[in-house]
Amino acid sequence: MPSPVLIGRRYYLRVRVPQDLLKLTPGRTIHLPVAGVWRPVKPGTSVKLSLETGNAATAKARFGEAYAALQSTWQAMRSAPTPLSHKQMLALAGEVRSAFVAAFDDDPGQTQTWAAILVTNSNARDGRLHPLKMPSGDTIAIDMERRFGPLVDIKLAQKAISIPTDQRPALLNLVVQALDESAIVNLNKASGDYSDTGETSKYPAFTPTVSAPPAAVSQEAPGSGATFSSVIDEEVRRRSAGKNAVPMRETTTKKFRIAAEEFRDFRKSDDATLVTAREADARKQAMLEKGELSNNTVKQRLQNLRTILQWARQHSLGELYPAGNPLDIVKAPAYQTVASDARTFTMEEAATVLLAARKETSPELRWLPWLSAYSGARINELAQLTRQDFFRLDDSWFFRLTTAGGKTLKTKASERTVPVHPELINEGLVDFLDTLNGRDDQRIFPARSQPNISEWIRGKVGLTRDELAPNHGWRHLFEDQCMNGGVTDAARSYITGRATGKSSEGYGKSQAMLPGLAKEMRKVPPIPLKVSRA
C-alpha cells in the first residue's frame, strides 16, 4: 500500500507512474492538492511531491488527498477526450469563479492587488505579458495558457475528464471571464462593498457527460480488460485448481458478486482496471446517506470490493494498479460495536432454541444448534460434515472439521478434531447418524443451513433481540461454559479453532491427544433445560 515517504525532514508522495501511462507523462505537468493548495509536478517514471510537513499524522492525511487526486488524473489520462457542451464549460468556469470569491470572502486584501490582477488578466488575453514581444496569435495562445492553463488543468483533474484540444481555447476564455468577475467582486469587497455576495444564477451546475467507459489499459498489460465478474471467476478457478485445493465457498463467492454488482451499477461500468479511490469513496457516501445498511455492512462491502481489486492485481502479477490498490486509502466508516455478551445466547434463550430444535425434522434445524452449542464450532463449518467425519476412539466419539473433500474453513487453525459432548450422545446424535442413507462422504446438511437456522430462530422460535447473533452466539456461549467447567485454555482454543499465535499451535494435534480432549470436553456443563428429553 502506498504511504508517505520521509526524505530528510519532510514527507513526500512518491508513486510510480503506471506502466500503460509512461509514454503519456514525459514533459507533462499535472497538479495535485497539498493541504488544499494545488501544486504542479512533472512526472518521470514516478510522481514525487513534497507534502510540506514533517509530522507523520499530517503527512498521512495530505497523502490521502493527493493520492486520490492522482488516481483521478490517471483515469483522465486513460480516458478518450470527451467534448463538453457550452453549458458544461460555463459550469466549470462558474466553479472557478465561486472558488476565488469564497477564498477571499473574509479577508479580500487590498484594492490595488485586485486592480493589478485585472490588468495582468487583460495583458494575457491580449498576448502582452512579455513587454518585449509584439502581440500575435502565438503570444496570445502562449500567455493564455501560461496564465490560466493550470487552473483549467486543475478543474479537469477534479472532474477526472479530458477534453478535445480544439475545445481548450473556448474553455480558457470562459475561465478568464469568470476570473475577471471574481476579481471585481473581491475588489469591491476590499473597498467595503459586500453587496455582491458572490452568488449568481448566471452559471449552471456541472453535469457530467454520460459516455462510454474510459479507454481500456493497453492490451499488452496482464489484467487489462478485466471486469469484476471475470476477476471473481478467475479467483474461483484458481482456488479450485490442484489436487488438494480449497475451493471458495458458494456463499463467499456470492457476497463478492453482490459487492461488485452494486459498485458496477453505481459507476455504470464493469471495468475493474480503472477504479479510482474517488469512485469508491463516492459509493461509500451514497450508501451511508441512503441509510439502509449499517455502517459495519458498508465497511464490509467496501472491503469486499478492495479484495476483488487485490485479486486483479495478483492475477496480473502487479502490473495492474502498480502504485497499489486504490481502495487502500478509502477510509471505512466508523460504527458502534456490539459487546460480546450482548451477541451471546443467554441460558434461557439457549434452552428455548435447543428445546425447539427437538421438535424439528429437518437435519440442520434438529442438529446444528445442538452441535454448535456443545462445540463452539461455526455453523458453516458444521454444515459441511459428512458421516465419515464422525468416528469412535475407545469410549468417546469425535468429528473432524477439515478442508479435505473440497470443504472450506476460516483459517488454518480451524482444522481440528472435536470430541462429541456427552449431551449430544444422550440426545441421540449417534443414532441419527446410523439412520443416514447414501455415501459416507455425502454431506449431512444442506448448503443453505446457516441462513435457514438464522431465519428459523428469528421467525419460528421468536428470538428477535437485535444484538443476538443467531449463529455465532453459540460460539461465545460455549467458551463461557468452558470457563465455568474449568476447561484448560489450550483445549478450549483447539476445540473452538481459535488461533493463539503461539508456536505450539503448529505442532502435535495427533490422535494421541484425543483422549485428553474428550476428558476436557466432559468438563463442559450441560445447558439447563426446563423440559426433560422424554
Side-chain angles (χ1 to χ4, degrees), residues 118-129 139-148 176:
L118 287 167
V119 171
T120 305
N121 288 354
S122 177
N123 288 338
R125 264 198 316 272
D126 296 337
R128 296 177 179 274
L129 283 182
T139 62
I140 291 175
I142 292 171
D143 287 355
M144 287 283 283
E145 195 61 53
R146 181 181 301 165
R147 176 74 173 165
F148 309 109
V176 174

Side-chain angles (χ1 to χ4, degrees), residues 8 11 53 144 150 166 231 249 251 351 354 387 399 450 463 521:
Y11 283 93
T53 182
M144 287 283 283
D166 58 2
V231 171
R249 291 199 303 267
T251 53
L354 296 181
R387 185 165 55 183
F399 59 85
Q450 185 165 323
L463 298 187
M521 180 64 89

Side-chain angles (χ1 to χ4, degrees), residues 472-488:
H472 212 66
W474 294 117
R475 192 165 172 78
H476 295 284
L477 180 61
F478 178 78
E479 292 194 289
D480 291 344
Q481 287 287 80
C482 285
M483 184 176 294
N484 291 337
V487 176
T488 64

Side-chain angles (χ1 to χ4, degrees), residues 87-107:
K87 182 178 180 180
Q88 287 174 313
M89 290 193 289
L90 192 63
L92 293 179
E95 290 185 9
V96 173
R97 178 191 190 278
S98 297
F100 272 85
V101 170
F104 299 96
D105 189 58
D106 291 332
D107 187 8

Side-chain angles (χ1 to χ4, degrees), residues 219-529:
Q219 293 299 314
E220 297 176 359
S224 63
T227 65
F228 294 113
S229 300
S230 68
V231 171
I232 296 172
D233 291 342
E234 175 64 10
E235 185 66 17
V236 170
R237 186 193 69 78
R238 292 185 179 213
R239 296 217 188 167
S240 300
K243 183 177 180 180
N244 299 318
V246 181
M248 190 184 298
R249 291 199 303 267
E250 184 178 341
T251 53
T252 302
T253 306
K254 184 178 180 180
K255 77 175 183 181
F256 286 115
R257 293 197 190 281
I258 289 173
E261 289 169 5
E262 290 177 344
F263 187 62
R264 177 200 64 198
D265 293 343
F266 175 79
R267 69 193 288 259
K268 310 301 182 187
S269 172
D270 196 31
D271 191 338
T273 66
L274 299 174
V275 176
T276 67
R278 287 186 184 276
E279 288 178 324
D281 189 69
R283 170 61 182 152
K284 177 192 72 176
Q285 294 298 334
M287 287 189 287
L288 293 174
E289 290 171 7
K290 197 170 184 179
E292 294 181 352
L293 303 174
S294 69
N295 283 21
N296 187 27
T297 301
V298 172
K299 176 184 176 181
Q300 291 300 320
R301 297 284 170 86
L302 210 60
Q303 178 59 38
N304 293 342
L305 184 62
R306 180 190 174 280
T307 299
I308 295 171
L309 295 187
Q310 195 61 27
W311 290 341
R313 291 190 70 215
Q314 292 167 350
H315 299 167
S316 71
L317 300 181
E319 294 191 28
L320 182 62
Y321 298 116
N325 193 320
L327 266 68
D328 283 344
I329 62 168
V330 180
K331 187 176 181 180
Y335 61 92
Q336 293 182 344
T337 57
V338 179
S340 175
D341 61 332
R343 292 167 54 83
T344 305
F345 284 98
T346 64
M347 284 298 195
E348 183 177 353
E349 289 171 335
T352 299
V353 175
L354 296 181
L355 289 171
R358 276 185 181 168
K359 302 175 183 178
E360 296 294 337
T361 56
S362 298
E364 74 274 24
L365 302 183
R366 174 64 183 96
W367 289 109
L368 288 181
W370 278 85
L371 280 164
S372 191
Y374 283 101
S375 69
R378 303 171 180 89
I379 293 292
N380 55 13
E381 295 175 326
L382 296 169
Q384 301 175 79
L385 286 171
T386 66
R387 185 165 55 183
Q388 68 184 14
D389 290 325
F390 290 84
F391 66 95
R392 184 171 184 172
L393 180 65
D394 298 330
D395 294 329
S396 301
W397 279 85
F398 301 85
F399 59 85
R400 300 183 188 90
L401 293 174
T402 174
T403 57
K407 300 171 186 174
T408 57
L409 297 174
K410 184 174 182 181
T411 66
K412 184 62 179 175
S414 299
E415 293 246 19
R416 58 200 189 274
T417 300
V418 181
V420 175
H421 193 280
E423 281 296 299
L424 293 173
I425 304 295
N426 296 335
E427 192 67 19
L429 176 63
V430 175
D431 296 332
F432 163 72
L433 295 175
D434 290 338
T435 65
L436 294 176
N437 298 318
R439 302 190 315 270
D440 285 346
D441 62 351
Q442 185 175 330
R443 297 192 181 185
I444 300 170
F445 307 106
R448 200 183 183 275
S449 290
Q450 185 165 323
N452 285 353
I453 292 174
S454 181
E455 293 165 6
W456 172 72
I457 289 177
R458 291 294 193 193
K460 187 173 180 180
V461 179
L463 298 187
T464 58
R465 181 164 61 88
D466 290 339
E467 300 85 358
L468 173 65
N471 290 309
H472 212 66
W474 294 117
R475 192 165 172 78
H476 295 284
L477 180 61
F478 178 78
E479 292 194 289
D480 291 344
Q481 287 287 80
C482 285
M483 184 176 294
N484 291 337
V487 176
T488 64
D489 289 344
R492 174 177 53 82
S493 296
Y494 175 80
I495 291 172
T496 57
R498 293 248 186 229
T500 63
K502 297 179 180 179
S503 60
S504 60
E505 201 171 80
Y507 297 92
K509 314 300 185 281
S510 69
Q511 199 175 66
M513 75 172 187
L514 296 185
L517 274 180
K519 181 180 178 181
E520 292 298 310
M521 180 64 89
R522 286 193 289 270
K523 293 180 181 179
V524 179
I527 297 170
L529 301 180

